[in-house]
Amino acid sequence: MPYGLCAAAVAEAALAPEVQQKLASLKSGYESFVFRNVRVPYEQGVNALNARVKPALEREGGAAAARNDLDGLVRIKADIARMDKGQALTDTAEPPPEALKQAYASYKLELAKVEAVQQTGLADALKRYDTALAQVQSELTKAQDAAAALQVKQLREDLTKTAATAPPVQRPLTARNPDGLAGVEMSGEVTPFEEGAQPYTNRSYSIGKLNSTLRKMTFVKKAGGAKSSTFVNVVSPGKIYVACAEMEGGRPLIKDLKHLQSLGFEKTRHKFEIYNVEMVICTKDVDAPLTLDPAESFAGFLVIGRVSAKP
């Protein structure tokens, strides 16, 4: 059998839970590192650059309106709208107004510097991630777990290809939502947080009676008992809720609650039941991604709030 076919067949084997957990932890660590060291500095650089050039655009917008220059005004208004969203100005087919050509040229040069720092930071993050994956691959190879080692090798190769062709899109944090809830993205099926909703993909358990203040939020379904970390990407600052098991079959559980408290979460008075488990809800204000460790309880951690599917 050709090696390629043999390798593909071996790599189809399921990874052991401990390997899955390790890979999930490395991935969430990489995403957190990219947020702190690539995305945030990039956004800060773009916002500072926008703040310097915006007054000139506003002045020229007024001048364009005074001289009845509709095309120039439309172009300037569109650029200001991009700035207000935290986006960088990009080249367009229409040249900038004559009075702003120097400002746009300087902006382009400064933006190139910001983007160069971004690419350097991303390259560093990828190198760190690949080094960690290489260590896992080496350990699996020495343990003669060929199937797992091949999957990690493929993951590293896919990561290299993705990084070369499509670096992460840098999206700025949006403004705080009127309801005070943080906007978060997670992988999985987004579901309304309501009585009767089924929170698990591998069980038909449903959520019991809820306090009215918790309704009209959303959460992401997950596999009950999953021993993997939970990564929560924050796209707008605000309050987030996370539920964990406090009692199971009359037996107190404290490890998951203590983990949330170690991350700065505060226990609320809100509780609900899933099957024979009493869930307690904790809350925290967030403005950066979160990584939750694997839960001790089968119930896991349920992230509740303004949750949307991760693109």
Side-chain angles (χ1 to χ4, degrees):
M1 179 184 294
Y3 170 74
L5 295 178
C6 178
V10 172
E12 288 179 357
L15 292 173
E18 60 271 19
V19 177
Q20 292 182 20
Q21 180 177 335
K22 192 164 191 176
L23 292 178
S25 178
L26 290 177
K27 181 181 178 183
S28 64
Y30 163 71
E31 291 174 334
S32 295
F33 185 91
V34 168
F35 180 89
R36 293 191 307 271
N37 298 281
V38 180
R39 175 176 162 181
V40 169
Y42 173 82
E43 292 166 3
Q44 291 174 338
V46 169
N47 287 336
L49 188 54
N50 287 347
R52 291 201 299 269
V53 76
K54 185 177 178 181
L57 268 68
E58 291 174 332
R59 288 193 299 270
E60 181 56 24
R67 63 175 179 265
N68 201 26
D69 180 3
L70 178 60
D71 291 340
L73 180 61
V74 169
R75 163 68 187 270
I76 292 170
K77 288 286 188 182
D79 286 345
I80 290 176
R82 287 185 60 83
M83 289 180 173
D84 289 342
K85 293 178 182 178
Q87 299 172 347
L89 299 182
T90 56
D91 290 331
T92 64
E94 302 82 14
E98 187 66 32
L100 291 175
K101 284 186 176 181
Q102 183 59 46
Y104 275 71
S106 298
Y107 184 98
K108 187 174 181 179
L109 289 174
E110 292 301 317
L111 180 61
K113 296 177 183 178
V114 173
E115 291 176 339
V117 172
Q118 176 198 33
Q119 292 303 316
T120 299
L122 181 59
D124 179 48
L126 289 167
K127 183 178 180 180
R128 291 169 182 265
Y129 188 23
D130 183 68
T131 299
L133 290 174
Q135 180 62 35
V136 175
Q137 179 182 324
S138 176
E139 292 171 357
L140 293 170
T141 301
K142 291 177 181 178
Q144 300 186 37
D145 190 344
L150 280 171
Q151 289 197 49
V152 175
K153 180 182 178 183
Q154 185 63 53
L155 175 61
R156 293 176 63 203
E157 292 174 351
D158 291 344
L159 180 68
T160 301
K161 292 176 184 177
T162 300
T165 59
V169 175
Q170 304 301 326
R171 293 182 300 150
L173 289 176
T174 58
R176 184 178 290 267
N177 296 308
D179 58 12
L181 292 176
V184 301
E185 293 177 341
M186 298 181 64
S187 299
E189 178 185 348
V190 177
T191 305
F193 184 66
E194 58 189 13
E195 294 171 18
Q198 296 183 349
Y200 305 117
T201 58
N202 56 348
R203 293 290 190 278
S204 58
Y205 303 154
S206 59
I207 294 173
K209 187 176 181 180
L210 294 174
N211 183 290
S212 60
T213 59
L214 297 175
R215 296 175 184 146
K216 297 184 179 180
M217 298 186 191
T218 51
F219 71 99
V220 167
K221 283 188 174 185
K222 60 186 300 182
K227 296 302 179 184
S228 58
S229 300
T230 300
F231 179 71
V232 183
N233 187 34
V234 177
V235 295
S236 64
K239 190 177 293 294
I240 191 175
Y241 294 93
V242 178
C244 69
E246 187 175 39
M247 298 280 290
E248 184 172 354
R251 178 174 62 92
L253 299 175
I254 61 172
K255 184 176 179 181
D256 293 342
L257 178 58
K258 283 187 174 295
H259 174 55
L260 291 179
Q261 290 174 331
S262 73
L263 296 175
F265 281 85
E266 296 182 356
K267 180 179 174 181
T268 73
R269 60 183 176 83
H270 302 305
K271 297 182 180 182
F272 62 94
E273 291 187 354
I274 301 177
Y275 188 54
N276 68 336
V277 177
E278 183 176 288
M279 305 287 286
V280 63
I281 295 180
C282 300
T283 186
K284 174 185 177 180
D285 278 339
V286 295
D287 59 5
L290 290 173
T291 299
L292 305 176
D293 289 346
E296 178 184 40
S297 168
F298 176 89
F301 294 113
L302 294 184
V303 179
I304 308 161
R306 187 185 285 269
V307 182
S308 58
K310 189 175 181 181

